Amino acid sequence: MKKIVILISGRGSNMQAVVEACVNQKWPAQIAAVISNKTDASGLEYAVSKGIQTAVVVSKEFSQREAFDAALQQKIDEFSPDIIVLAGFMRILTPAFVNHYAGRMLNIHPSLLPSFVGLATHRQALDAGVKLHGATVHFVTAELDHGPIVAQTAVPVHNDDTENSLAQRVLEQEHIIYPRAVRQFVEGKISIVGNIVKIND
Ligand code: GRF
């Protein structure tokens, strides 16, 4: 059984999608823990309700990014994870932390990378006038929202879209591609060659 640790900062709908798929599709994996950097992350309640171990490492109690990442790493490694799944984990990560989990940490970003890195991606897409927007699952590297791409999904942008309506359309697709990518990882179907991800499905 592969061990999955999921990191969240908020509502955790992507975490929930991964948990449900893991259980319902009987992956060769278990959710070892859900860890948040905020005590009030509402996703923690869902994890507890499913009997999943939870932990909180409060980021605002640390003045140095390196110190927080070191504490978080220590907590994560207590669960000996094979894969770290960032699911709405709203932190910029230090290179030391990222390198420690090289090749085994995934993120989902709500844009078609390499377009629209950072925050407010739906606003960025509307302002740019793109006709297609979407989401990307990628391995995490030291450069923010870069790293080898595992999966992408595109949605149309409508004339009357707001940030909220666009975010909702993208999120529905996130809940499809993220569990699929994590499953491919735990089933050993993903390899990284240079900056390119190969999937043997
Ligand atoms: C998602 O849109 C994800 O792509 C982004 O932050 C949002 C988190 O939503 N990184 P949730 O906490 O998974 O519901």
Side-chain angles (χ1 to χ4, degrees):
M1 293 287 266
K2 293 274 168 54
K3 290 185 184 162
I4 302 170
V5 165
I6 306 178
L7 304 188
I8 63 169
S9 297
R11 73 188 158 186
S13 70
N14 278 291
M15 174 268 296
Q16 190 169 332
V18 169
V19 169
E20 281 173 6
C22 181
V23 173
N24 296 342
Q25 299 168 7
K26 301 188 170 54
W27 296 357
Q30 65 183 92
I31 311 297
V34 171
I35 302 175
S36 171
N37 66 312
K38 295 184 173 185
T39 42
D40 61 354
S42 56
L44 287 170
E45 287 164 33
Y46 170 82
V48 168
S49 78
K50 292 291 165 188
I52 297 167
Q53 252 189 281
T54 60
V56 181
V57 183
V58 182
S59 49
K60 67 175 185 222
E61 288 177 0
F62 294 80
S63 54
Q64 300 295 326
R65 202 172 277 288
E66 288 74 14
F68 169 73
D69 280 7
L72 179 63
Q73 182 177 315
Q74 194 174 12
K75 179 53 73 183
I76 293 170
D77 288 350
E78 286 175 19
F79 299 96
S80 310
D82 298 285
I83 175 173
I84 320 300
V85 174
L86 306 186
F89 189 62
M90 305 303 282
R91 294 280 308 172
I92 292 174
L93 301 165
T94 56
F97 181 90
V98 168
N99 290 336
H100 180 70
Y101 299 110
R104 57 187 174 119
M105 184 156 64
L106 291 177
N107 182 45
I108 187 150
H109 181 77
S111 81
L112 289 171
L113 290 173
S115 292
F116 313 139
V117 301
L119 297 173
T121 55
H122 309 303
R123 178 79 262 151
Q124 292 188 57
L126 290 172
D127 289 348
V130 293
K131 303 303 177 212
L132 285 175
H133 184 42
T136 302
V137 178
H138 65 97
F139 281 98
V140 178
T141 56
E143 196 177 350
L144 180 69
D145 297 330
H146 283 67
I149 291 173
V150 180
Q152 292 187 301
T153 185
V155 302
V157 180
H158 301 321
N159 287 337
D160 58 354
D161 263 329
T162 62
E163 271 181 84
N164 277 344
S165 63
L166 189 52
Q168 186 54 38
R169 196 172 307 122
V170 171
L171 192 64
E172 282 171 24
Q173 297 302 314
E174 294 182 35
H175 296 163
I176 297 169
I177 64 167
Y178 209 10
R180 190 163 62 210
V182 177
R183 179 182 184 161
Q184 287 165 336
F185 185 95
V186 298
E187 289 182 342
K189 292 178 174 163
I190 292 183
S191 53
I192 312 173
V193 183
N195 195 42
I196 308 296
V197 171
K198 307 271 185 201
I199 300 173
N200 309 305
D201 218 358

